[in-house]
Amino acid sequence: MGDQGNQSIESSTAHRYTAELAGELETRWQRVWDERQSFRQPNPGEDGFDASRPKYFCMDMFPYPSGAGLHVGHPEGYTATDIISRYKRMNGFNVLHPMGWDAFGLPAEQYAIQTGVHPEITTKKAIDNFRRQLQRFGFSYDWSREFGTIDQDYYKWTQWIFLKIYHSWFDPEANGGVGCARAIDELIEEFKGGKRPVKLNPAAAEYAGAGDLPGGTDAGTWDALDRETKKAIVDSYRLAYLSQQTVNWCPMLGTALANEEVIDGRSERGGHPVLRKPLRQWMFRITAYADRLLTGLADVDWPKSTKTQQAEWIGRSVGAEIDFPILEGGVPMGEALRVFTTRPDTIFGATYMVVAPEHPLVEYALDMPTPETDESKLREYVQTTRNRSDVERMENKEKTGVFTGLYVANPVTNDPIPVWTADYVLMGYGTGAIMAVPGQDQRDWDFAKAFDLPIVRTVTPPDDFDGEAYTGDGVAMNSRFLDGLEIEPAKRKIIQWLGEHHVGARKVNYKLRDWLFSRQRYWGEPFPIVFDERGDHHAVSEQTLPVTLPPLTDYEPEVSDDPQPLLAKAIDWVNTTAGDAGVEGMDPGAPVKRETNTMPGWAGSCWYYLRYCDPKNPDRLVGEDAEAYWMGDNGVDLYIGGNEHAVLHLLYARFWHMVMHDLGIVRTREPFGKLFHQGMITSFAYQRSDKSLVPIDQVENRGTDEKPEFIETATGEAVQSITAKMSKSLKNVINPDDVIAEYGADTFRLYEMYMGPLEATKPWNTRDIVGLFRLMQRIWRLCVDEATGKLHFAESADEAVEKQLHRMIAKVGSDIEKLGFNTAIAAVFEFVNLAKSLTRDQMDRFVRTIAPFVPHAAEEIYSKLGNTQSITHADWPSFDEAMLVDDEVEIPVQVMGKLRSKIFVAPDADNKTMEAAALADERIRELIEGKTVRKIVVVPGRLVNIVAN
RNA sequence: GCCGGAGUGGCGGAAUCGGUAGACGCGGCGGAUUCAAAAUCCGCUGGGGUAACACCCUUGGGGGUUCGAGUCCCCCCUCCGGUACCA
């Protein structure tokens, strides 16, 4: 001891677990795993595939590889899936754990506009950087399955699926009334053979509310029809169709956006204003699947909130469609105004009608004005509302509207009802027309008050009701044959009446609209579609795929009110021939123009899970055996990603999957059996009293850690510490590379998993990381002699340590299954707190237990133990149930429900023994002295409560 | 407004079924080691109260059910997420 100089002190810690040591061993093992292809998972039929093992398909939502690189939010979910994947491998599963890149999209293109560098170059660079960063975490991805949505042999199949959808229609009668997708050729055969009445698809959204009401008009015999009519009819059935319609046009982004991409009248990306503008666009008839998308939610293990969000987005509501005959000079002129209502029982209170400004009846009123029509006022109103952006609509909810001069007859009373137009009625929902019942609807009430229209109550409000419109329960009044009925029976009775008089019927309506699928940007999948000289669309043949994206010289979108898609600039590419484009059934020399729209970013993410199953397959989007094996009965076994995709991506992917299911391409009904959302990682920031935020480098703490006083340096004002999203402007962004450099990847992984429940939003607290680094040091020291770097062992197994080891193995295993990683790590802490040294055998089990969390350190110790195989495929340690039970347990004793003492009994002690022990306790005897014991509650192995007073 | 979720020490959080509230970590305090510091290790740490016990209070607030409530029921408050004239 005495001669221990500085030198020997240094050498006594030469093999301490430091950031340098962590960095060295982590990168070393990452190289080894890469060389040995430790995480490669063969497919059925390939060498090394073990068919006796069960499968586990564990998947992350793949990232958009932005130029900024990984942020700390990415590795949160990725660490979770990595732990699960490693745990499952150790439990004998074949694990499919892939990673890829969602690489088409706006940011790379915006960057290309600024710099002129092709998006493909910047995107590939960003991918390389992402891959490097992810590999530094030691994630056990099977990198041999990696692909990006921009790869030609991937988007070839994205285009292929588009064609499948394009060549399909939805038969609502098929599949026992559930409805399913069928080939469009079968539809044409049925038309030809007279098996199906030839008419426009009654469910086609692009015809709803148009002048000629669909549904009714029979077009006659197929062969007698001209080419245009045939085409219009077939297109009205296609699941992918072109539609001239009002879209959300974002001039700054130079593209149309889906409803879901518009938030409060601004673009989700960038927050630019969005206008409504008519454009010809590709649409998916997702509304045909509304019911199946809704009912399918019952079959998947998803967070309740996500199911609710999807259900509300689909927005099923049951009501009735009712025809109100249009009057001309007070008599019906033969046509009717059709409305949808959820409250047909209130029809006697319909004092006016409202149609959307885009409704054809408004056009009709302008063409055929009545003496009461104020033409100029009406025309002006339609113009203003059309140009009114969504932002303005949001800001001003005052009711506006104009009387059209038209009247319809109430089909129940024959009374004339004035028809108004107002922008509070939306063309996109129902029929774009309503019967207004101000007595029972607050919006109608507000409108009626604003324009002095009559109000009739048809449901009796309670005596103490002093509100305006009454929407609650009650019996019908002022409603002739409905009077006295509660709402539900009244609805049934009126629907029956309407049916009998052929003026209405029960109808289910959905909020869900068809999916706007084209964008006017460059960096996306081209459509496999060309147009002939007449403007008719033709599919490119499957053999010609992929239709590759042509290079452009500039990517600048034109800021224009009459925008052309960027691809229109690729003139040589656009103008081709049917033969070169690969269109079958056309004269090969016929000139055609390619579709210049591109697909939206969602396209590639709609089916990537399938490609992971068989990423290199040149003949099929996924081989049948691979799909059958990996997708199994319930699809992806665990899918982890942010809840910002609760509706968009997850709904679209389900829709594609359902179509592919119907067409026999995939087996499962749903793509993602179990879904989980990791929470957001926030950061600390400071807030002034006016709620504005202050960057963290402009604030200092002039108090203590325990009683902090945060002061804005520049002003001396007190500011409050809050949690906020990480953002460059607040300077509170944490860079994962820095954290790994300071502590190593294992510590980083532990910290993110220990912060709190995976699903919770949690603040990043730099101060807390050191606790997990200390855990790594203690784990290391428990196994490795810091002076020599060699393992050191206990000579014999300590009984308490052995017991705790069994407990830890049991707890960590069950917590991983529950995704309870924070409590699993707490169990590791408890073990390390107790264990001072381990036998060789204990150490072996210990490192196998922590391997899913800290794979590098575990692998290092495991190899020092003499194992030549990677810990990746080691067995998960077993535990003995008997070791989880104590010889003696501490039992709280309560008197009147308050804890008063503790006794020690055998864990399986019976009630009598426990009761006796409790009553024998000195403290308890004192407390119940002189009182009457009314009752003694004994919970075996748990507690004793004595009721005495 | 409507629909989800949450509110527990100075902080992050734990608490399978209604059964010892605060596991575990951070921070703090005390100690060991050191010439000293960092690092590391050990102990204490919800609040009040006491010399120490005892005891009292405590899971956003108020009521209730129960032998017993962080957990179940009713009402209210706050925060986060989603959605928004959807007839």
Side-chain angles (χ1 to χ4, degrees):
Chain A
M1 293 289 276
D3 61 0
Q4 211 173 41
N6 270 346
Q7 230 178 343
S8 62
I9 288 174
E10 260 174 42
S11 68
S12 75
T13 57
H15 296 272
R16 172 165 288 183
Y17 188 88
T18 59
E20 292 71 34
L21 182 88
E24 185 278 315
L25 74 88
E26 286 172 359
T27 48
R28 176 158 45 81
W29 280 112
Q30 283 157 13
R31 263 197 316 277
V32 172
W33 292 333
D34 190 39
E35 283 159 12
R36 293 189 194 163
Q37 299 201 50
S38 299
F39 312 126
R40 210 180 93 79
Q41 170 57 57
N43 257 12
E46 289 178 2
D47 281 352
F49 178 77
D50 181 351
S52 69
R53 291 169 181 253
K55 69 98 184 182
Y56 196 82
F57 189 172
C58 183
M59 204 177 118
D60 297 293
M61 287 187 187
F62 64 173
Y64 175 82
S66 81
L70 219 59
H71 58 76
V72 293
H74 286 116
E76 191 192 8
Y78 301 164
T79 304
T81 53
D82 193 59
I83 291 168
I84 297 276
S85 296
R86 289 177 177 274
Y87 173 77
K88 290 284 177 186
R89 279 190 203 102
M90 294 176 80
N91 278 282
F93 286 77
N94 287 326
V95 174
L96 179 53
H97 186 45
M99 181 47 75
W101 317 107
D102 187 16
F104 275 126
L106 275 179
E109 191 173 350
Q110 296 292 65
Y111 187 75
I113 293 165
Q114 287 163 23
T115 63
V117 181
H118 194 286
E120 184 167 355
I121 294 168
T122 51
T123 305
K124 293 218 156 138
K125 219 172 125 187
I127 287 174
D128 289 341
N129 187 41
F130 259 64
R131 189 191 304 103
R132 175 191 66 77
Q133 289 188 299
L134 290 180
Q135 287 177 337
R136 187 60 188 83
F137 281 92
F139 295 138
S140 60
Y141 295 119
D142 179 352
W143 288 105
S144 73
R145 293 174 186 260
E146 173 198 354
F147 59 81
T149 53
I150 56 171
D151 298 349
Q152 283 186 15
D153 60 358
Y154 181 78
Y155 77 66
K156 164 185 173 175
W157 295 105
T158 309
Q159 292 171 335
W160 184 87
I161 297 167
F162 174 84
L163 286 181
K164 283 288 169 198
I165 301 174
Y166 170 86
H167 288 305
S168 302
W169 63 294
F170 188 80
D171 181 354
E173 310 302 323
N175 196 9
V178 177
C180 80
R182 297 173 58 193
I184 207 89
D185 290 344
E186 292 177 20
L187 176 72
I188 296 168
E189 284 308 311
E190 290 188 7
F191 283 151
K192 275 186 188 160
K195 282 189 198 148
R196 178 172 292 272
V198 179
K199 58 182 177 186
L200 285 173
N201 178 2
E206 66 273 31
Y207 290 100
D212 288 334
L213 284 176
T217 336
D218 217 310
T221 339
W222 181 256
D223 291 327
L225 296 177
D226 60 27
R227 197 187 54 83
E228 274 85 14
T229 314
K230 281 182 183 166
K231 183 183 165 304
I233 289 174
V234 170
D235 285 352
S236 79
Y237 283 87
R238 285 187 195 278
L239 285 175
Y241 64 96
L242 273 172
S243 170
Q244 179 80 25
Q245 64 160 303
T246 306
V247 300
N248 305 298
W249 176 256
C250 180
M252 294 304 290
L253 294 175
T255 185
L257 299 170
N259 290 328
E260 305 82 286
E261 294 171 301
V262 181
I263 295 163
D264 292 340
R266 290 178 175 276
S267 65
E268 189 189 23
R269 270 188 191 277
H272 305 297
V274 170
L275 309 171
R276 296 194 299 156
K277 176 169 183 58
L279 264 186
R280 199 195 56 169
Q281 297 286 293
W282 282 102
M283 305 291 293
F284 278 132
R285 217 176 286 287
I286 190 174
T287 49
Y289 279 80
D291 238 349
R292 280 176 54 191
L293 288 165
L294 191 62
T295 54
L297 291 172
D299 302 329
V300 290
D301 180 5
W302 284 20
K304 199 179 142 200
S305 63
T306 306
K307 289 190 183 189
T308 309
Q309 277 184 58
Q310 288 217 352
E312 282 177 1
W313 190 263
I314 294 164
R316 183 179 199 267
S317 62
V318 181
E321 278 192 348
I322 306 173
D323 281 349
F324 286 67
I326 298 167
L327 302 176
E328 220 169 64
V331 293
M333 46 79 81
E335 298 219 23
L337 174 64
R338 179 168 294 179
V339 302
F340 172 73
T341 177
T342 54
R343 293 296 302 276
D345 57 302
T346 63
I347 190 168
F348 291 94
T351 52
Y352 63 101
M353 313 294 285
V354 187
V355 298
E358 301 89 347
H359 195 278
L361 198 61
V362 174
E363 199 71 25
Y364 175 83
L366 287 168
D367 288 347
M368 311 275 288
T370 73
E372 290 184 72
T373 309
D374 185 337
E375 271 185 82
S376 61
K377 207 170 146 190
L378 183 57
R379 183 161 284 122
E380 196 201 317
Y381 184 73
V382 172
Q383 276 301 323
T384 351
T385 51
R386 183 167 298 160
N387 294 334
R388 221 173 145 197
S389 73
D390 283 354
V391 179
E392 291 168 301
R393 280 176 79 108
M394 296 291 170
E395 277 166 5
N396 187 3
K397 289 191 178 177
E398 290 292 297
K399 294 285 182 290
T400 58
V402 176
F403 177 44
T404 62
L406 303 177
Y407 288 86
V408 295
N410 186 324
V412 196
T413 62
N414 290 321
D415 293 339
I417 305 177
V419 179
W420 288 62
T421 183
D423 67 356
Y424 84 91
V425 171
L426 310 173
M427 195 60 223
Y429 183 78
T431 61
I434 61 158
M435 63 175 205
V437 188
Q440 267 71 235
D441 185 290
Q442 189 60 41
R443 295 156 301 182
D444 297 344
W445 177 287
D446 293 341
F447 191 84
K449 282 288 172 194
F451 294 97
D452 205 21
L453 293 157
I455 295 170
V456 177
R457 285 198 193 281
T458 59
V459 177
T460 319
D463 291 340
D464 58 353
F465 179 74
D466 61 353
E468 300 180 332
Y470 177 68
T471 55
D473 290 335
V475 296
M477 61 191 283
N478 299 325
S479 297
R480 303 196 194 170
F481 57 87
L482 298 181
D483 282 351
L485 291 176
E486 294 283 344
I487 293 174
E488 281 312 313
K491 279 183 184 173
R492 282 197 294 274
K493 189 159 182 182
I494 190 69
I495 287 172
Q496 193 191 351
W497 188 97
L498 293 165
E500 282 162 5
H501 293 79
H502 308 288
V503 287
R506 180 178 181 276
K507 165 85 181 179
V508 177
N509 227 318
Y510 299 91
K511 268 202 278 194
L512 184 71
R513 320 262 175 93
D514 278 345
W515 172 14
L516 172 76
F517 191 67
S518 38
R519 300 291 183 274
Q520 290 68 51
R521 299 301 297 257
Y522 170 72
W523 194 227
E525 299 88 345
F527 282 84
I529 295 284
V530 298
F531 296 91
D532 64 23
E533 288 185 300
R534 281 183 298 235
D536 289 351
H537 50 82
H538 300 272
V540 161
S541 72
E542 289 177 16
Q543 295 74 39
T544 324
L545 300 179
V547 175
T548 53
L549 200 53
L552 280 190
T553 44
D554 77 294
Y555 309 94
E556 191 80 40
E558 290 166 53
V559 178
S560 158
D561 290 341
D562 185 28
Q564 286 296 307
L566 272 163
L567 277 183
K569 293 183 176 184
I571 295 167
D572 293 345
W573 177 83
V574 171
N575 296 294
T576 180
T577 60
D580 284 349
V583 181
E584 286 165 357
M586 269 182 86
D587 169 15
V592 294
K593 281 180 186 290
R594 292 189 189 273
E595 170 62 82
T596 52
N597 283 300
T598 51
M599 299 187 194
W602 309 112
S605 61
C606 269
W607 70 283
Y608 72 118
Y609 56 96
L610 289 172
R611 192 64 179 171
Y612 280 144
C613 299
D614 196 10
K616 304 279 189 283
N617 195 318
D619 307 318
R620 218 172 174 275
L621 80 166
V622 53
E624 287 184 80
D625 291 347
E627 193 266 334
Y629 181 73
W630 289 117
M631 293 298 282
D633 296 330
N634 295 306
V636 176
D637 295 286
L638 180 65
Y639 189 29
I640 295 188
N643 64 2
E644 66 271 22
H645 295 114
V647 178
L648 315 167
H649 158 61
L650 290 166
L651 191 71
Y652 294 154
R654 292 178 65 216
F655 165 59
W656 278 37
H657 191 91
M658 284 180 185
V659 177
M660 287 192 274
H661 169 82
D662 291 353
L663 298 176
I665 301 164
V666 297
R667 276 152 241 246
T668 63
R669 287 198 294 186
E670 290 281 342
F672 313 119
K674 183 178 168 80
L675 171 75
F676 198 89
H677 300 302
Q678 86 277 16
M680 205 190 2
I681 295 182
T682 56
S683 197
F684 288 106
Y686 300 96
Q687 194 177 45
R688 298 189 188 98
S689 51
D690 64 356
K691 303 237 167 181
S692 61
L693 299 175
V694 191
I696 53 168
D697 60 347
Q698 293 170 24
V699 172
E700 54 186 88
N701 180 7
R702 296 190 185 157
T704 59
D705 273 332
E706 200 141 331
K707 281 213 170 94
E709 282 170 55
F710 297 110
I711 304 294
E712 185 176 356
T713 319
T715 61
E717 301 277 324
V719 290
Q720 219 189 332
S721 171
I722 56 150
T723 60
K725 279 187 189 177
M726 288 188 187
S727 76
K728 277 185 196 160
S729 62
L730 292 174
K731 301 207 165 70
N732 60 358
V733 179
I734 306 288
N735 180 349
D737 290 345
D738 298 345
V739 181
I740 288 182
E742 199 174 343
Y743 298 103
D746 281 339
T747 297
F748 190 110
R749 293 166 58 114
L750 279 180
Y751 173 62
E752 287 217 347
M753 291 302 98
Y754 192 65
M755 289 172 80
L758 187 61
E759 67 274 23
T761 300
K762 308 161 283 271
W764 181 280
N765 195 347
T766 304
R767 201 176 66 181
D768 289 347
I769 304 170
V770 69
L772 286 306
F773 186 62
R774 280 180 203 150
L775 176 62
M776 287 310 300
Q777 292 186 311
R778 296 172 66 188
I779 287 171
W780 187 255
R781 198 180 306 123
L782 182 59
C783 303
V784 179
D785 184 309
E786 291 189 339
T788 64
K790 298 220 159 73
L791 299 183
H792 53 187
F793 302 106
E795 284 178 9
S796 60
D798 180 277
E799 202 183 318
V801 170
E802 180 63 18
K803 200 168 213 171
Q804 193 67 23
L805 181 58
H806 282 258
R807 281 167 197 233
M808 182 189 71
I809 295 166
K811 173 82 175 153
V812 169
S814 66
D815 280 356
I816 290 177
E817 304 263 5
K818 286 186 291 198
L819 310 182
F821 305 115
N822 54 335
T823 49
I825 294 167
V828 177
F829 266 112
E830 284 182 279
F831 178 74
V832 174
N833 284 343
L834 180 84
K836 299 298 164 225
S837 64
L838 302 176
T839 64
R840 176 176 282 273
D841 171 66
Q842 285 175 330
M843 196 181 291
D844 189 272
R845 282 176 285 153
F846 172 62
V847 293
R848 278 187 282 140
T849 312
I850 61 173
F853 295 86
V854 289
H856 310 92
E859 189 82 277
E860 177 77 0
I861 298 168
Y862 192 67
S863 95
K864 281 179 188 284
L865 279 164
N867 295 290
T868 50
Q869 293 300 303
S870 168
I871 201 166
T872 310
H873 296 285
D875 285 337
W876 181 254
S878 58
F879 62 89
D880 180 1
E881 288 281 352
M883 294 291 269
L884 308 184
V885 188
D886 283 309
D887 302 341
E888 203 177 50
V889 288
E890 186 188 75
I891 299 288
V893 181
Q894 299 179 337
V895 176
M896 300 299 285
K898 291 197 176 200
L899 178 69
R900 293 300 179 198
S901 187
K902 287 165 186 175
I903 56 172
F904 291 88
V905 298
D908 55 352
D910 62 13
N911 289 15
K912 266 198 180 138
T913 316
M914 283 174 65
E915 189 178 315
L919 290 170
D921 183 82
E922 198 179 331
R923 174 101 193 89
I924 298 299
R925 278 218 310 265
E926 278 170 34
L927 280 163
I928 60 174
E929 172 102 45
K931 292 179 179 164
T932 315
V933 175
R934 310 267 169 204
K935 187 176 173 184
I936 299 179
V937 183
V938 180
V939 184
R942 274 297 198 178
L943 67 38
V944 180
N945 185 14
I946 298 163
V947 187
N949 54 12

